[in-house]
Amino acid sequence: QVQLVESGGGLVQTGGSLRLSCAASGRTFSYYAMGWFRQAPGKEREFAAAITWSGGSTYYADSVKGRFTISRDNAKNTVYLQMNSLKPEDTAVYYCAARRVKYYSIDADEYDYWGQGTQVTVSS
C-alpha cells in the first residue's frame, strides 16, 4: 500500500509560480511511475504530467508543456510539479497518483494510488 500526500498549493497571481510536492510512503516508490492530474470545478479530471520510475522520461499535456516540470527524488520518496507562468485556467485541485509499473500513462484509470489533492488558484 502506498499513501500519497500533496502539498504546496495556494493562491497565486497570473504569471506566478508554485511548486507542488507529493510525498509517498512505502519502500517501493522508486519502482512506480507517477503522474499529476488536475480537476477544475465542473470539469472532469485531466492529465497534466507524468514521469517514469527513474525520472528518465517525462510527458506533459499540451496545455502545460513548456510551463510545468515534473521531477522526482526517489531518495526522498517525493515527486514534484514546478508550475511557472500560471494562468487562471490552471486553477484546479491537483492530484498526484502512483502506478504500480515503471512506465507512465495519461489515463487516470491506470493509476493505483491517489493523494487527497491540493488546491491551486490563479487569480487574474
Side-chain angles (χ1 to χ4, degrees):
Q1 189 76 6
V2 172
Q3 291 187 327
L4 305 173
V5 179
E6 302 99 333
S7 62
L11 174 64
V12 65
Q13 292 185 333
T14 296
S17 298
L18 284 174
R19 187 175 84 153
L20 306 183
S21 298
C22 174
S25 64
R27 292 176 292 177
T28 54
F29 170 80
S30 60
Y31 297 112
Y32 292 175
M34 299 295 294
W36 284 97
F37 292 77
R38 64 187 185 180
Q39 188 167 18
K43 295 188 177 181
E44 293 187 353
R45 190 171 299 189
E46 67 173 10
F47 169 79
I51 190 166
T52 55
W53 67 286
S54 66
S57 180
T58 58
Y59 190 77
Y60 300 92
D62 287 344
S63 58
V64 308
K65 195 175 299 180
R67 301 186 299 120
F68 291 10
T69 302
I70 188 171
S71 61
R72 66 190 297 161
D73 184 340
N74 286 344
K76 295 182 178 180
N77 278 15
T78 301
V79 64
Y80 305 97
L81 186 68
Q82 178 66 44
M83 306 186 295
N84 298 328
S85 302
L86 283 162
K87 306 174 182 180
E89 51 263 45
D90 295 317
T91 294
V93 177
Y94 283 72
Y95 299 89
C96 74
R99 189 170 187 238
R100 287 180 297 186
V101 294
K102 292 184 176 181
Y103 299 97
Y104 52 70
S105 170
I106 65 171
D107 185 347
D109 290 338
E110 296 190 358
Y111 285 79
D112 302 291
Y113 304 104
W114 291 84
Q116 82 290 347
T118 186
Q119 177 71 47
V120 171
T121 303
V122 184
S123 64
S124 57

